[in-house]
Amino acid sequence: MHPILFSAGPITIYTYGVLLAAAYLIGLWMAVRRATQAGVDGNRVLDLGIWVIIAALVGAKGLLFVVEFNHFTSSREEFFSLLRSGGVFYGGLIAASLTCIYQLRKHKLPLWQSGDLFAPGIALGYMVGRLGCLAAGCCYGRPTQVPWAITFTDQAAALNVGTPLGQPLHPTQLYESLAGLLIFLILMATERRGKSYSGRTFWLFVLLYGVSRFVIEFYRGDDRGMVGMFSTSQVISIVLVPLSLAMLWWLRGGAA
């Protein structure tokens, strides 16, 4: 774990931020590359990706600020801590979705084909982004005695995200990073096999991500909201997995 990459006077560069930026850039690069190979204007895909990234970042932090308004306005230090906070997923999702729909209409790009172009890059970027979580100590796992357990020791992580120190934990960040890599490999290996139709790669990504996230959540130990016996992410997965199966079936029928 190495939450702070380096400091120079008042400037602190966090490893999570660097790897998150790398994740976005890798995903965007792959989407543009795939668009060019598919005969789609790469510049339009680049514009779309940049706007979606900006919207996701602003939306996630904006909703976090609204939800935790009293906390972030309690002092100058807490306000600036918003810059190194990950944000609220739903804020980013809503902002990115609205921006994506607008940009697709503006540039006249096909919906499902565009999703297919982005899906493998999202999986690869997810793999890199979760390494940032490992470095920061966030999204940590439950206590365990498995041989591959990891133990965090950096006080900065404990102060920033409440990471338990000196205790063996499931390396859930690595579980999710490996899941992202596996999903990427499956998408690339199956894309040109069997019956091809627009939306297949995107919804296969949603299906695989939903299943993997549901399973890995059982090993998470951080506070992330619970709905009964399931975490918020598991509830979302319960919705997304059957939806993705239905969409794969429907789109496949539409391509017949």
Side-chain angles (χ1 to χ4, degrees), residues 102-140:
Y102 171 77
Q103 290 293 326
L104 285 174
R105 290 183 175 179
K106 177 181 177 181
H107 295 298
K108 298 180 180 180
L109 292 171
L111 177 61
W112 298 129
Q113 184 183 12
S114 299
D116 290 341
L117 295 176
F118 276 98
I122 295 173
L124 197 58
Y126 182 76
M127 179 198 75
V128 175
R130 282 305 185 184
L131 294 178
C133 293
L134 178 65
C138 61
C139 308
Y140 51 85

PDB file of all heavy atoms in Angstrom, residues 102-140:
ATOM      1  N   TYR A 102     -26.701  12.486 -24.729  1.00  0.00           N
ATOM      2  CA  TYR A 102     -26.642  13.751 -25.472  1.00  0.00           C
ATOM      3  C   TYR A 102     -25.570  13.699 -26.552  1.00  0.00           C
ATOM      4  O   TYR A 102     -25.801  14.096 -27.706  1.00  0.00           O
ATOM      5  CB  TYR A 102     -26.373  14.903 -24.503  1.00  0.00           C
ATOM      6  CG  TYR A 102     -26.083  16.212 -25.207  1.00  0.00           C
ATOM      7  CD1 TYR A 102     -27.104  16.963 -25.762  1.00  0.00           C
ATOM      8  CD2 TYR A 102     -24.766  16.682 -25.314  1.00  0.00           C
ATOM      9  CE1 TYR A 102     -26.830  18.156 -26.423  1.00  0.00           C
ATOM     10  CE2 TYR A 102     -24.490  17.868 -25.964  1.00  0.00           C
ATOM     11  CZ  TYR A 102     -25.523  18.604 -26.515  1.00  0.00           C
ATOM     12  OH  TYR A 102     -25.251  19.785 -27.171  1.00  0.00           O
ATOM     13  N   GLN A 103     -24.383  13.218 -26.194  1.00  0.00           N
ATOM     14  CA  GLN A 103     -23.280  13.183 -27.140  1.00  0.00           C
ATOM     15  C   GLN A 103     -23.531  12.195 -28.282  1.00  0.00           C
ATOM     16  O   GLN A 103     -23.167  12.447 -29.434  1.00  0.00           O
ATOM     17  CB  GLN A 103     -21.979  12.833 -26.417  1.00  0.00           C
ATOM     18  CG  GLN A 103     -21.464  13.921 -25.490  1.00  0.00           C
ATOM     19  CD  GLN A 103     -21.016  15.165 -26.238  1.00  0.00           C
ATOM     20  OE1 GLN A 103     -20.496  15.081 -27.348  1.00  0.00           O
ATOM     21  NE2 GLN A 103     -21.228  16.328 -25.638  1.00  0.00           N
ATOM     22  N   LEU A 104     -24.166  11.066 -27.976  1.00  0.00           N
ATOM     23  CA  LEU A 104     -24.485  10.100 -29.029  1.00  0.00           C
ATOM     24  C   LEU A 104     -25.440  10.707 -30.052  1.00  0.00           C
ATOM     25  O   LEU A 104     -25.289  10.504 -31.264  1.00  0.00           O
ATOM     26  CB  LEU A 104     -25.097   8.843 -28.418  1.00  0.00           C
ATOM     27  CG  LEU A 104     -24.130   7.893 -27.698  1.00  0.00           C
ATOM     28  CD1 LEU A 104     -24.896   6.764 -27.029  1.00  0.00           C
ATOM     29  CD2 LEU A 104     -23.104   7.319 -28.669  1.00  0.00           C
ATOM     30  N   ARG A 105     -26.422  11.437 -29.562  1.00  0.00           N
ATOM     31  CA  ARG A 105     -27.361  12.091 -30.489  1.00  0.00           C
ATOM     32  C   ARG A 105     -26.677  13.206 -31.275  1.00  0.00           C
ATOM     33  O   ARG A 105     -26.903  13.371 -32.476  1.00  0.00           O
ATOM     34  CB  ARG A 105     -28.546  12.651 -29.700  1.00  0.00           C
ATOM     35  CG  ARG A 105     -29.460  11.565 -29.133  1.00  0.00           C
ATOM     36  CD  ARG A 105     -30.663  12.168 -28.431  1.00  0.00           C
ATOM     37  NE  ARG A 105     -31.591  11.129 -27.995  1.00  0.00           N
ATOM     38  CZ  ARG A 105     -32.718  11.383 -27.341  1.00  0.00           C
ATOM     39  NH1 ARG A 105     -33.057  12.637 -27.050  1.00  0.00           N
ATOM     40  NH2 ARG A 105     -33.508  10.386 -26.983  1.00  0.00           N
ATOM     41  N   LYS A 106     -25.831  13.957 -30.594  1.00  0.00           N
ATOM     42  CA  LYS A 106     -25.130  15.064 -31.240  1.00  0.00           C
ATOM     43  C   LYS A 106     -24.233  14.567 -32.367  1.00  0.00           C
ATOM     44  O   LYS A 106     -24.198  15.151 -33.462  1.00  0.00           O
ATOM     45  CB  LYS A 106     -24.311  15.824 -30.203  1.00  0.00           C
ATOM     46  CG  LYS A 106     -23.487  16.965 -30.780  1.00  0.00           C
ATOM     47  CD  LYS A 106     -22.676  17.661 -29.692  1.00  0.00           C
ATOM     48  CE  LYS A 106     -21.802  18.766 -30.287  1.00  0.00           C
ATOM     49  NZ  LYS A 106     -20.995  19.444 -29.235  1.00  0.00           N
ATOM     50  N   HIS A 107     -23.492  13.494 -32.113  1.00  0.00           N
ATOM     51  CA  HIS A 107     -22.553  12.974 -33.100  1.00  0.00           C
ATOM     52  C   HIS A 107     -23.152  11.880 -33.973  1.00  0.00           C
ATOM     53  O   HIS A 107     -22.464  11.309 -34.824  1.00  0.00           O
ATOM     54  CB  HIS A 107     -21.302  12.433 -32.394  1.00  0.00           C
ATOM     55  CG  HIS A 107     -20.506  13.487 -31.688  1.00  0.00           C
ATOM     56  ND1 HIS A 107     -19.916  14.547 -32.338  1.00  0.00           N
ATOM     57  CD2 HIS A 107     -20.202  13.650 -30.377  1.00  0.00           C
ATOM     58  CE1 HIS A 107     -19.270  15.301 -31.465  1.00  0.00           C
ATOM     59  NE2 HIS A 107     -19.441  14.780 -30.272  1.00  0.00           N
ATOM     60  N   LYS A 108     -24.431  11.568 -33.737  1.00  0.00           N
ATOM     61  CA  LYS A 108     -25.154  10.575 -34.534  1.00  0.00           C
ATOM     62  C   LYS A 108     -24.439   9.225 -34.534  1.00  0.00           C
ATOM     63  O   LYS A 108     -24.218   8.608 -35.586  1.00  0.00           O
ATOM     64  CB  LYS A 108     -25.347  11.090 -35.969  1.00  0.00           C
ATOM     65  CG  LYS A 108     -26.173  12.371 -36.046  1.00  0.00           C
ATOM     66  CD  LYS A 108     -26.337  12.859 -37.471  1.00  0.00           C
ATOM     67  CE  LYS A 108     -27.177  14.139 -37.513  1.00  0.00           C
ATOM     68  NZ  LYS A 108     -27.346  14.649 -38.901  1.00  0.00           N
ATOM     69  N   LEU A 109     -24.051   8.775 -33.349  1.00  0.00           N
ATOM     70  CA  LEU A 109     -23.399   7.482 -33.188  1.00  0.00           C
ATOM     71  C   LEU A 109     -24.427   6.442 -32.755  1.00  0.00           C
ATOM     72  O   LEU A 109     -25.314   6.731 -31.956  1.00  0.00           O
ATOM     73  CB  LEU A 109     -22.288   7.570 -32.141  1.00  0.00           C
ATOM     74  CG  LEU A 109     -21.060   8.410 -32.522  1.00  0.00           C
ATOM     75  CD1 LEU A 109     -20.149   8.586 -31.318  1.00  0.00           C
ATOM     76  CD2 LEU A 109     -20.297   7.750 -33.663  1.00  0.00           C
ATOM     77  N   PRO A 110     -24.352   5.216 -33.277  1.00  0.00           N
ATOM     78  CA  PRO A 110     -25.290   4.153 -32.896  1.00  0.00           C
ATOM     79  C   PRO A 110     -25.089   3.748 -31.442  1.00  0.00           C
ATOM     80  O   PRO A 110     -23.950   3.569 -30.985  1.00  0.00           O
ATOM     81  CB  PRO A 110     -24.947   3.011 -33.851  1.00  0.00           C
ATOM     82  CG  PRO A 110     -23.526   3.270 -34.254  1.00  0.00           C
ATOM     83  CD  PRO A 110     -23.368   4.759 -34.287  1.00  0.00           C
ATOM     84  N   LEU A 111     -26.180   3.570 -30.707  1.00  0.00           N
ATOM     85  CA  LEU A 111     -26.121   3.322 -29.270  1.00  0.00           C
ATOM     86  C   LEU A 111     -25.378   2.040 -28.923  1.00  0.00           C
ATOM     87  O   LEU A 111     -24.376   2.068 -28.199  1.00  0.00           O
ATOM     88  CB  LEU A 111     -27.546   3.272 -28.709  1.00  0.00           C
ATOM     89  CG  LEU A 111     -27.680   2.948 -27.212  1.00  0.00           C
ATOM     90  CD1 LEU A 111     -26.982   4.012 -26.373  1.00  0.00           C
ATOM     91  CD2 LEU A 111     -29.148   2.839 -26.825  1.00  0.00           C
ATOM     92  N   TRP A 112     -25.864   0.898 -29.418  1.00  0.00           N
ATOM     93  CA  TRP A 112     -25.287  -0.371 -28.989  1.00  0.00           C
ATOM     94  C   TRP A 112     -23.909  -0.596 -29.578  1.00  0.00           C
ATOM     95  O   TRP A 112     -23.035  -1.186 -28.913  1.00  0.00           O
ATOM     96  CB  TRP A 112     -26.213  -1.534 -29.351  1.00  0.00           C
ATOM     97  CG  TRP A 112     -27.548  -1.460 -28.682  1.00  0.00           C
ATOM     98  CD1 TRP A 112     -28.775  -1.549 -29.271  1.00  0.00           C
ATOM     99  CD2 TRP A 112     -27.802  -1.272 -27.286  1.00  0.00           C
ATOM    100  NE1 TRP A 112     -29.769  -1.415 -28.340  1.00  0.00           N
ATOM    101  CE2 TRP A 112     -29.202  -1.248 -27.119  1.00  0.00           C
ATOM    102  CE3 TRP A 112     -26.989  -1.112 -26.165  1.00  0.00           C
ATOM    103  CZ2 TRP A 112     -29.798  -1.080 -25.868  1.00  0.00           C
ATOM    104  CZ3 TRP A 112     -27.573  -0.926 -24.916  1.00  0.00           C
ATOM    105  CH2 TRP A 112     -28.956  -0.927 -24.789  1.00  0.00           C
ATOM    106  N   GLN A 113     -23.672  -0.174 -30.787  1.00  0.00           N
ATOM    107  CA  GLN A 113     -22.329  -0.317 -31.357  1.00  0.00           C
ATOM    108  C   GLN A 113     -21.317   0.501 -30.558  1.00  0.00           C
ATOM    109  O   GLN A 113     -20.193   0.051 -30.314  1.00  0.00           O
ATOM    110  CB  GLN A 113     -22.298   0.125 -32.824  1.00  0.00           C
ATOM    111  CG  GLN A 113     -20.936  -0.100 -33.484  1.00  0.00           C
ATOM    112  CD  GLN A 113     -20.876   0.400 -34.913  1.00  0.00           C
ATOM    113  OE1 GLN A 113     -21.756   1.112 -35.379  1.00  0.00           O
ATOM    114  NE2 GLN A 113     -19.824   0.027 -35.625  1.00  0.00           N
ATOM    115  N   SER A 114     -21.726   1.683 -30.119  1.00  0.00           N
ATOM    116  CA  SER A 114     -20.841   2.511 -29.296  1.00  0.00           C
ATOM    117  C   SER A 114     -20.547   1.824 -27.969  1.00  0.00           C
ATOM    118  O   SER A 114     -19.418   1.842 -27.474  1.00  0.00           O
ATOM    119  CB  SER A 114     -21.473   3.885 -29.048  1.00  0.00           C
ATOM    120  OG  SER A 114     -21.677   4.581 -30.265  1.00  0.00           O
ATOM    121  N   GLY A 115     -21.574   1.199 -27.383  1.00  0.00           N
ATOM    122  CA  GLY A 115     -21.357   0.453 -26.144  1.00  0.00           C
ATOM    123  C   GLY A 115     -20.381  -0.691 -26.334  1.00  0.00           C
ATOM    124  O   GLY A 115     -19.528  -0.944 -25.474  1.00  0.00           O
ATOM    125  N   ASP A 116     -20.475  -1.374 -27.479  1.00  0.00           N
ATOM    126  CA  ASP A 116     -19.549  -2.467 -27.781  1.00  0.00           C
ATOM    127  C   ASP A 116     -18.115  -1.959 -27.898  1.00  0.00           C
ATOM    128  O   ASP A 116     -17.164  -2.644 -27.479  1.00  0.00           O
ATOM    129  CB  ASP A 116     -19.945  -3.155 -29.085  1.00  0.00           C
ATOM    130  CG  ASP A 116     -21.236  -3.946 -28.968  1.00  0.00           C
ATOM    131  OD1 ASP A 116     -21.638  -4.273 -27.829  1.00  0.00           O
ATOM    132  OD2 ASP A 116     -21.852  -4.223 -30.012  1.00  0.00           O
ATOM    133  N   LEU A 117     -17.948  -0.778 -28.466  1.00  0.00           N
ATOM    134  CA  LEU A 117     -16.612  -0.216 -28.636  1.00  0.00           C
ATOM    135  C   LEU A 117     -15.972   0.115 -27.294  1.00  0.00           C
ATOM    136  O   LEU A 117     -14.770  -0.061 -27.101  1.00  0.00           O
ATOM    137  CB  LEU A 117     -16.680   1.044 -29.509  1.00  0.00           C
ATOM    138  CG  LEU A 117     -17.113   0.848 -30.964  1.00  0.00           C
ATOM    139  CD1 LEU A 117     -17.220   2.197 -31.669  1.00  0.00           C
ATOM    140  CD2 LEU A 117     -16.144  -0.065 -31.697  1.00  0.00           C
ATOM    141  N   PHE A 118     -16.783   0.580 -26.344  1.00  0.00           N
ATOM    142  CA  PHE A 118     -16.252   1.025 -25.061  1.00  0.00           C
ATOM    143  C   PHE A 118     -16.055  -0.114 -24.054  1.00  0.00           C
ATOM    144  O   PHE A 118     -15.198  -0.018 -23.163  1.00  0.00           O
ATOM    145  CB  PHE A 118     -17.178   2.078 -24.443  1.00  0.00           C
ATOM    146  CG  PHE A 118     -16.927   3.469 -24.934  1.00  0.00           C
ATOM    147  CD1 PHE A 118     -17.702   4.023 -25.947  1.00  0.00           C
ATOM    148  CD2 PHE A 118     -15.927   4.242 -24.380  1.00  0.00           C
ATOM    149  CE1 PHE A 118     -17.473   5.315 -26.401  1.00  0.00           C
ATOM    150  CE2 PHE A 118     -15.687   5.530 -24.811  1.00  0.00           C
ATOM    151  CZ  PHE A 118     -16.457   6.070 -25.829  1.00  0.00           C
ATOM    152  N   ALA A 119     -16.851  -1.189 -24.161  1.00  0.00           N
ATOM    153  CA  ALA A 119     -16.892  -2.206 -23.099  1.00  0.00           C
ATOM    154  C   ALA A 119     -15.533  -2.819 -22.744  1.00  0.00           C
ATOM    155  O   ALA A 119     -15.169  -2.866 -21.561  1.00  0.00           O
ATOM    156  CB  ALA A 119     -17.900  -3.300 -23.465  1.00  0.00           C
ATOM    157  N   PRO A 120     -14.739  -3.316 -23.715  1.00  0.00           N
ATOM    158  CA  PRO A 120     -13.445  -3.900 -23.328  1.00  0.00           C
ATOM    159  C   PRO A 120     -12.517  -2.888 -22.657  1.00  0.00           C
ATOM    160  O   PRO A 120     -11.800  -3.229 -21.707  1.00  0.00           O
ATOM    161  CB  PRO A 120     -12.862  -4.392 -24.664  1.00  0.00           C
ATOM    162  CG  PRO A 120     -14.055  -4.598 -25.541  1.00  0.00           C
ATOM    163  CD  PRO A 120     -14.988  -3.491 -25.165  1.00  0.00           C
ATOM    164  N   GLY A 121     -12.530  -1.649 -23.123  1.00  0.00           N
ATOM    165  CA  GLY A 121     -11.707  -0.615 -22.505  1.00  0.00           C
ATOM    166  C   GLY A 121     -12.135  -0.310 -21.079  1.00  0.00           C
ATOM    167  O   GLY A 121     -11.297  -0.029 -20.219  1.00  0.00           O
ATOM    168  N   ILE A 122     -13.448  -0.370 -20.827  1.00  0.00           N
ATOM    169  CA  ILE A 122     -13.948  -0.153 -19.467  1.00  0.00           C
ATOM    170  C   ILE A 122     -13.434  -1.260 -18.550  1.00  0.00           C
ATOM    171  O   ILE A 122     -12.992  -0.998 -17.424  1.00  0.00           O
ATOM    172  CB  ILE A 122     -15.485  -0.121 -19.452  1.00  0.00           C
ATOM    173  CG1 ILE A 122     -15.996   1.086 -20.242  1.00  0.00           C
ATOM    174  CG2 ILE A 122     -16.007  -0.076 -18.019  1.00  0.00           C
ATOM    175  CD1 ILE A 122     -17.504   1.111 -20.424  1.00  0.00           C
ATOM    176  N   ALA A 123     -13.465  -2.503 -19.038  1.00  0.00           N
ATOM    177  CA  ALA A 123     -12.977  -3.629 -18.229  1.00  0.00           C
ATOM    178  C   ALA A 123     -11.485  -3.488 -17.939  1.00  0.00           C
ATOM    179  O   ALA A 123     -11.037  -3.711 -16.803  1.00  0.00           O
ATOM    180  CB  ALA A 123     -13.247  -4.948 -18.959  1.00  0.00           C
ATOM    181  N   LEU A 124     -10.709  -3.098 -18.946  1.00  0.00           N
ATOM    182  CA  LEU A 124      -9.273  -2.935 -18.755  1.00  0.00           C
ATOM    183  C   LEU A 124      -8.977  -1.762 -17.825  1.00  0.00           C
ATOM    184  O   LEU A 124      -8.101  -1.840 -16.958  1.00  0.00           O
ATOM    185  CB  LEU A 124      -8.596  -2.722 -20.105  1.00  0.00           C
ATOM    186  CG  LEU A 124      -7.086  -2.939 -20.168  1.00  0.00           C
ATOM    187  CD1 LEU A 124      -6.727  -4.352 -19.726  1.00  0.00           C
ATOM    188  CD2 LEU A 124      -6.568  -2.673 -21.574  1.00  0.00           C
ATOM    189  N   GLY A 125      -9.717  -0.673 -17.993  1.00  0.00           N
ATOM    190  CA  GLY A 125      -9.548   0.473 -17.112  1.00  0.00           C
ATOM    191  C   GLY A 125      -9.938   0.141 -15.685  1.00  0.00           C
ATOM    192  O   GLY A 125      -9.300   0.607 -14.737  1.00  0.00           O
ATOM    193  N   TYR A 126     -10.961  -0.688 -15.538  1.00  0.00           N
ATOM    194  CA  TYR A 126     -11.394  -1.117 -14.197  1.00  0.00           C
ATOM    195  C   TYR A 126     -10.285  -1.886 -13.503  1.00  0.00           C
ATOM    196  O   TYR A 126     -10.055  -1.723 -12.298  1.00  0.00           O
ATOM    197  CB  TYR A 126     -12.639  -1.986 -14.341  1.00  0.00           C
ATOM    198  CG  TYR A 126     -13.225  -2.462 -13.044  1.00  0.00           C
ATOM    199  CD1 TYR A 126     -13.955  -1.607 -12.229  1.00  0.00           C
ATOM    200  CD2 TYR A 126     -13.060  -3.781 -12.628  1.00  0.00           C
ATOM    201  CE1 TYR A 126     -14.506  -2.048 -11.028  1.00  0.00           C
ATOM    202  CE2 TYR A 126     -13.602  -4.229 -11.439  1.00  0.00           C
ATOM    203  CZ  TYR A 126     -14.328  -3.355 -10.645  1.00  0.00           C
ATOM    204  OH  TYR A 126     -14.864  -3.802  -9.462  1.00  0.00           O
ATOM    205  N   MET A 127      -9.597  -2.722 -14.270  1.00  0.00           N
ATOM    206  CA  MET A 127      -8.485  -3.483 -13.705  1.00  0.00           C
ATOM    207  C   MET A 127      -7.418  -2.544 -13.141  1.00  0.00           C
ATOM    208  O   MET A 127      -6.932  -2.727 -12.017  1.00  0.00           O
ATOM    209  CB  MET A 127      -7.862  -4.369 -14.786  1.00  0.00           C
ATOM    210  CG  MET A 127      -6.674  -5.196 -14.307  1.00  0.00           C
ATOM    211  SD  MET A 127      -5.646  -5.828 -15.658  1.00  0.00           S
ATOM    212  CE  MET A 127      -4.791  -4.335 -16.148  1.00  0.00           C
ATOM    213  N   VAL A 128      -7.067  -1.512 -13.891  1.00  0.00           N
ATOM    214  CA  VAL A 128      -6.048  -0.554 -13.452  1.00  0.00           C
ATOM    215  C   VAL A 128      -6.555   0.289 -12.287  1.00  0.00           C
ATOM    216  O   VAL A 128      -5.844   0.536 -11.312  1.00  0.00           O
ATOM    217  CB  VAL A 128      -5.616   0.340 -14.626  1.00  0.00           C
ATOM    218  CG1 VAL A 128      -4.632   1.419 -14.152  1.00  0.00           C
ATOM    219  CG2 VAL A 128      -4.990  -0.484 -15.737  1.00  0.00           C
ATOM    220  N   GLY A 129      -7.804   0.720 -12.356  1.00  0.00           N
ATOM    221  CA  GLY A 129      -8.368   1.558 -11.305  1.00  0.00           C
ATOM    222  C   GLY A 129      -8.394   0.867  -9.958  1.00  0.00           C
ATOM    223  O   GLY A 129      -8.147   1.492  -8.917  1.00  0.00           O
ATOM    224  N   ARG A 130      -8.668  -0.437  -9.954  1.00  0.00           N
ATOM    225  CA  ARG A 130      -8.712  -1.171  -8.688  1.00  0.00           C
ATOM    226  C   ARG A 130      -7.320  -1.310  -8.068  1.00  0.00           C
ATOM    227  O   ARG A 130      -7.182  -1.462  -6.857  1.00  0.00           O
ATOM    228  CB  ARG A 130      -9.335  -2.545  -8.885  1.00  0.00           C
ATOM    229  CG  ARG A 130     -10.849  -2.514  -8.974  1.00  0.00           C
ATOM    230  CD  ARG A 130     -11.457  -1.832  -7.750  1.00  0.00           C
ATOM    231  NE  ARG A 130     -12.914  -1.896  -7.749  1.00  0.00           N
ATOM    232  CZ  ARG A 130     -13.674  -1.321  -6.843  1.00  0.00           C
ATOM    233  NH1 ARG A 130     -13.120  -0.631  -5.851  1.00  0.00           N
ATOM    234  NH2 ARG A 130     -14.990  -1.406  -6.901  1.00  0.00           N
ATOM    235  N   LEU A 131      -6.278  -1.238  -8.875  1.00  0.00           N
ATOM    236  CA  LEU A 131      -4.922  -1.207  -8.323  1.00  0.00           C
ATOM    237  C   LEU A 131      -4.709   0.102  -7.566  1.00  0.00           C
ATOM    238  O   LEU A 131      -3.965   0.140  -6.580  1.00  0.00           O
ATOM    239  CB  LEU A 131      -3.891  -1.361  -9.442  1.00  0.00           C
ATOM    240  CG  LEU A 131      -3.891  -2.713 -10.166  1.00  0.00           C
ATOM    241  CD1 LEU A 131      -2.853  -2.707 -11.280  1.00  0.00           C
ATOM    242  CD2 LEU A 131      -3.630  -3.858  -9.197  1.00  0.00           C
ATOM    243  N   GLY A 132      -5.377   1.162  -8.026  1.00  0.00           N
ATOM    244  CA  GLY A 132      -5.345   2.420  -7.299  1.00  0.00           C
ATOM    245  C   GLY A 132      -6.010   2.283  -5.937  1.00  0.00           C
ATOM    246  O   GLY A 132      -5.549   2.849  -4.942  1.00  0.00           O
ATOM    247  N   CYS A 133      -7.103   1.505  -5.892  1.00  0.00           N
ATOM    248  CA  CYS A 133      -7.775   1.249  -4.609  1.00  0.00           C
ATOM    249  C   CYS A 133      -6.849   0.487  -3.661  1.00  0.00           C
ATOM    250  O   CYS A 133      -6.815   0.748  -2.454  1.00  0.00           O
ATOM    251  CB  CYS A 133      -9.049   0.438  -4.832  1.00  0.00           C
ATOM    252  SG  CYS A 133     -10.340   1.311  -5.735  1.00  0.00           S
ATOM    253  N   LEU A 134      -6.085  -0.460  -4.202  1.00  0.00           N
ATOM    254  CA  LEU A 134      -5.139  -1.215  -3.384  1.00  0.00           C
ATOM    255  C   LEU A 134      -4.081  -0.283  -2.800  1.00  0.00           C
ATOM    256  O   LEU A 134      -3.739  -0.377  -1.619  1.00  0.00           O
ATOM    257  CB  LEU A 134      -4.474  -2.299  -4.219  1.00  0.00           C
ATOM    258  CG  LEU A 134      -3.422  -3.147  -3.499  1.00  0.00           C
ATOM    259  CD1 LEU A 134      -4.066  -3.960  -2.388  1.00  0.00           C
ATOM    260  CD2 LEU A 134      -2.706  -4.068  -4.493  1.00  0.00           C
ATOM    261  N   ALA A 135      -3.573   0.622  -3.630  1.00  0.00           N
ATOM    262  CA  ALA A 135      -2.549   1.560  -3.166  1.00  0.00           C
ATOM    263  C   ALA A 135      -3.101   2.503  -2.107  1.00  0.00           C
ATOM    264  O   ALA A 135      -2.399   2.864  -1.152  1.00  0.00           O
ATOM    265  CB  ALA A 135      -2.001   2.358  -4.352  1.00  0.00           C
ATOM    266  N   ALA A 136      -4.357   2.900  -2.258  1.00  0.00           N
ATOM    267  CA  ALA A 136      -4.968   3.845  -1.313  1.00  0.00           C
ATOM    268  C   ALA A 136      -5.455   3.164  -0.046  1.00  0.00           C
ATOM    269  O   ALA A 136      -5.628   3.809   0.990  1.00  0.00           O
ATOM    270  CB  ALA A 136      -6.127   4.579  -1.976  1.00  0.00           C
ATOM    271  N   GLY A 137      -5.713   1.860  -0.118  1.00  0.00           N
ATOM    272  CA  GLY A 137      -6.231   1.139   1.036  1.00  0.00           C
ATOM    273  C   GLY A 137      -7.736   1.139   1.137  1.00  0.00           C
ATOM    274  O   GLY A 137      -8.290   0.616   2.107  1.00  0.00           O
ATOM    275  N   CYS A 138      -8.430   1.703   0.147  1.00  0.00           N
ATOM    276  CA  CYS A 138      -9.893   1.727   0.187  1.00  0.00           C
ATOM    277  C   CYS A 138     -10.451   0.424  -0.379  1.00  0.00           C
ATOM    278  O   CYS A 138      -9.720  -0.397  -0.925  1.00  0.00           O
ATOM    279  CB  CYS A 138     -10.430   2.926  -0.593  1.00  0.00           C
ATOM    280  SG  CYS A 138      -9.998   2.932  -2.347  1.00  0.00           S
ATOM    281  N   CYS A 139     -11.760   0.234  -0.244  1.00  0.00           N
ATOM    282  CA  CYS A 139     -12.438  -0.959  -0.770  1.00  0.00           C
ATOM    283  C   CYS A 139     -11.797  -2.238  -0.240  1.00  0.00           C
ATOM    284  O   CYS A 139     -11.679  -3.240  -0.949  1.00  0.00           O
ATOM    285  CB  CYS A 139     -12.423  -0.953  -2.297  1.00  0.00           C
ATOM    286  SG  CYS A 139     -13.048   0.575  -3.041  1.00  0.00           S
ATOM    287  N   TYR A 140     -11.388  -2.194   1.018  1.00  0.00           N
ATOM    288  CA  TYR A 140     -10.646  -3.302   1.612  1.00  0.00           C
ATOM    289  C   TYR A 140     -11.569  -4.470   1.967  1.00  0.00           C
ATOM    290  O   TYR A 140     -12.793  -4.346   2.018  1.00  0.00           O
ATOM    291  CB  TYR A 140      -9.908  -2.829   2.864  1.00  0.00           C
ATOM    292  CG  TYR A 140     -10.749  -2.084   3.854  1.00  0.00           C
ATOM    293  CD1 TYR A 140     -11.509  -2.762   4.809  1.00  0.00           C
ATOM    294  CD2 TYR A 140     -10.801  -0.685   3.845  1.00  0.00           C
ATOM    295  CE1 TYR A 140     -12.288  -2.070   5.720  1.00  0.00           C
ATOM    296  CE2 TYR A 140     -11.583   0.015   4.746  1.00  0.00           C
ATOM    297  CZ  TYR A 140     -12.322  -0.690   5.685  1.00  0.00           C
ATOM    298  OH  TYR A 140     -13.103  -0.001   6.589  1.00  0.00           O
TER     299      TYR A 140
END
